[in-house]
Amino acid sequence: MKKILITGGAGFIGSHVVRLFVNKYPDYHIYNLDKLTYAGNLENLKDIEDAPNYTFIKGDIVDEKFINELFAKNEFDAVIHLAAESHVDRSITNPMEFIYTNVVGTVNLLNAARFVWKDDFSDKLFYHVSTDEVYGSLDEGGFFLETTPYDPQSPYSASKASSDHFVRAYHNTYGIPVVITNCSNNYGPNQFPEKLIPLFINNILNKKPLPVYGKGENVRDWLYVVDHARAIDVVFHKGKTGETYNIGGFNEWKNIDLIKVLCKTVDEKLGNPPGTSETLITYVKDRAGHDLRYAIDATKIMNELGWKPSLQFEEGISKTVDWYLENKEWLDNVTSGAYQDYYEKQYRTR
Ligand code: NAD
Ligand code: TYD
């Protein structure tokens, strides 16, 4: 039985990856290692928690001794590494946490894998999940290619870029078989309501202002989270060692246009008169160093590995809003306590 370690599996994307692998591959044993920070939530995995091929391990990837012992004990065949601090705004207020988890944590995992695999890399893989934000910010034209030079602009993207470099360096120096994917913005069920889409759904439900940074003209390229998990499955099984694949849905939206679609979708589902939620839109102080535009060219993974997104954006947004409406308790649970504090600090001066 193949032993696969998935880090950050209690988070947004990680939980969808864990679910897919546990259900689709009964002959793999999936170990989900997660520190359960504010963003990690075992509620996300209730449906598979008793599966015979699934084990949850609570732990911190920054803890070198713990990680080395875990690898020595379990001798994993592969790692799919998603654990990270993932929110740009938090990286602006507290960059060190991002350096510890995203950089030091990644290198701890690489060292432990190298040690336990003892230079016998047959059938081994270290899969590093990264972001398109490492490429920096685009103007109106062009796309990020796998060959686009790194130009990270936020503490978050700088920490992810650094971790990508270490993964490539360990491949080049020690021969560890690695693969890296850089994906665009994800949306869908289970996303913590600090990121744009779930934050705005939560605020609409609570009739709170919708804080649009700057003029709302920044552009993001959105992919439904299950399609990202499907891409990770494809790259894990068919990707070429040492390669990088960009993942995205060719689905660019100006923030303000996306927000209007979101408002309309929620209004329709709640039976509100048209335009109700749009009245909550409030333009606030821009994010420091706000990247103007991200846009992924996903031709390589489409042509070489045959992956493509399964959902159109309107369908994805509709499913996402349905999920949050049907899981009000999940939202209420994750927004109690520390969340209130975060929200107050993040938006008070805007
Ligand atoms: P998330 O913040 O929802 O989840 C991160 C998970 O990692 C949480 O469960 C958290 O508890 C865990 N974690 C954090 N620090 C840890 C530590 N020190 N040790 C062990 N576990 C720890 O993040 P997400 O949005 O699901 O992103 C997952 C990965 O995908 C990240 O590496 C992120 O950079 C990347 N990514 C995210 C997006 C996106 O749009 N969300 C897009 C592209 C790439
Ligand atoms: P976010 O979901 O934080 O993802 P990222 O910054 O990693 O792309 O933000 C998406 C876009 O929405 C980004 O341009 C910033 C903007 N935004 C707002 O306008 N208001 C908000 O309250 C948040 C969280 C984001």
Side-chain angles (χ1 to χ4, degrees), residues 219-256:
V219 174
R220 296 293 182 264
D221 180 356
W222 295 91
L223 182 70
Y224 192 62
V225 63
V226 176
D227 280 328
H228 187 189
R230 287 176 49 251
I232 289 174
D233 179 19
V234 169
V235 173
F236 182 82
H237 289 98
K238 301 207 295 195
K240 235 170 100 192
T241 297
E243 290 287 315
T244 295
Y245 299 89
N246 281 350
I247 304 172
F250 290 104
N251 179 41
E252 288 180 56
W253 286 83
K254 214 178 248 190
N255 288 343
I256 191 63

Side-chain angles (χ1 to χ4, degrees), residues 87-89 133 185 194-196 199-200 211-213 218 220 222 255 287 290-291 294 347:
H87 189 39
V88 173
D89 289 328
E133 303 191 25
N185 285 59
E194 62 186 354
K195 307 274 168 62
L196 180 72
L199 179 92
F200 277 35
V212 180
Y213 294 164
N218 303 67
R220 296 293 182 264
W222 295 91
N255 288 343
R287 172 186 281 171
H290 196 171
D291 287 342
Y294 304 143
Y347 294 100

Side-chain angles (χ1 to χ4, degrees), residues 32-335:
N32 171 14
L33 168 64
D34 200 296
K35 182 181 173 185
L36 299 181
T37 67
Y38 75 92
N41 187 348
L42 289 177
E43 284 297 309
N44 295 345
L45 292 166
K46 267 267 167 258
D47 54 323
I48 56 108
E49 68 183 2
D50 294 325
N53 63 334
Y54 172 71
T55 304
F56 174 70
I57 304 160
K58 186 172 188 308
D60 186 345
I61 59 170
V62 179
D63 183 342
E64 183 183 357
K65 184 165 172 284
F66 163 76
I67 291 296
N68 287 342
E69 286 170 4
L70 184 72
F71 274 71
K73 184 172 156 216
N74 292 287
E75 300 195 353
F76 304 112
D77 297 293
V79 178
I80 305 178
H81 175 37
L82 295 107
E85 288 293 334
S86 67
H87 189 39
V88 173
D89 289 328
R90 287 186 194 252
S91 82
I92 293 168
T93 38
N94 187 12
M96 280 318 283
E97 210 55 52
F98 286 69
I99 293 156
Y100 290 130
T101 288
N102 299 0
V103 185
V104 177
T106 300
V107 178
N108 278 340
L109 291 167
L110 286 164
N111 283 335
R114 185 181 160 227
F115 180 75
V116 81
W117 291 341
K118 296 189 184 68
D119 295 335
D120 174 9
F121 297 133
S122 53
D123 242 9
K124 304 289 191 285
L125 183 65
F126 191 101
Y127 184 143
H128 181 60
V129 176
S130 192
T131 167
D132 60 354
E133 303 191 25
V134 298
Y135 298 122
S137 179
L138 292 166
D139 295 328
E140 316 276 284
F143 292 93
F144 295 135
L145 291 164
E146 286 81 358
T147 50
T148 301
Y150 276 28
D151 186 21
Q153 299 291 320
S154 74
Y156 164 65
S157 54
S159 69
K160 291 296 289 186
S162 172
S163 66
D164 292 11
H165 288 321
F166 274 105
V167 172
R168 288 198 184 93
Y170 272 58
H171 174 65
N172 182 58
T173 309
Y174 306 114
I176 295 190
V178 306
V179 70
I180 300 178
T181 48
N182 296 84
C183 189
S184 62
N185 285 59
N186 282 216
Y187 69 99
N190 308 96
Q191 188 169 30
F192 192 79
E194 62 186 354
K195 307 274 168 62
L196 180 72
I197 291 178
L199 179 92
F200 277 35
I201 295 174
N202 188 45
N203 282 15
I204 292 173
L205 295 180
N206 291 295
K207 300 189 173 49
K208 280 167 68 175
L210 305 178
V212 180
Y213 294 164
K215 295 188 177 136
E217 283 175 352
N218 303 67
V219 174
R220 296 293 182 264
D221 180 356
W222 295 91
L223 182 70
Y224 192 62
V225 63
V226 176
D227 280 328
H228 187 189
R230 287 176 49 251
I232 289 174
D233 179 19
V234 169
V235 173
F236 182 82
H237 289 98
K238 301 207 295 195
K240 235 170 100 192
T241 297
E243 290 287 315
T244 295
Y245 299 89
N246 281 350
I247 304 172
F250 290 104
N251 179 41
E252 288 180 56
W253 286 83
K254 214 178 248 190
N255 288 343
I256 191 63
D257 295 338
L258 180 151
I259 289 160
K260 287 181 179 165
V261 170
L262 192 61
C263 288
K264 185 162 170 275
T265 310
V266 179
D267 283 342
E268 281 168 6
K269 290 186 189 284
L270 292 178
N272 291 339
T276 306
S277 297
E278 276 194 30
T279 60
L280 297 170
I281 291 175
T282 311
Y283 291 90
V284 299
K285 187 171 152 220
D286 209 353
R287 172 186 281 171
H290 196 171
D291 287 342
L292 179 65
R293 174 173 168 255
Y294 304 143
I296 277 277
D297 182 336
T299 307
K300 180 176 172 185
I301 186 174
M302 289 176 169
N303 287 354
E304 291 184 15
L305 305 183
W307 171 88
K308 62 177 181 0
S310 67
L311 280 192
Q312 294 296 316
F313 188 61
E314 284 70 14
E315 196 185 347
I317 280 291
S318 172
K319 280 167 87 98
T320 303
V321 171
D322 283 342
W323 188 86
Y324 284 96
L325 294 181
E326 285 157 17
N327 290 275
K328 216 30 203 74
E329 204 181 314
W330 183 95
L331 257 183
D332 289 343
N333 286 344
V334 302
T335 53

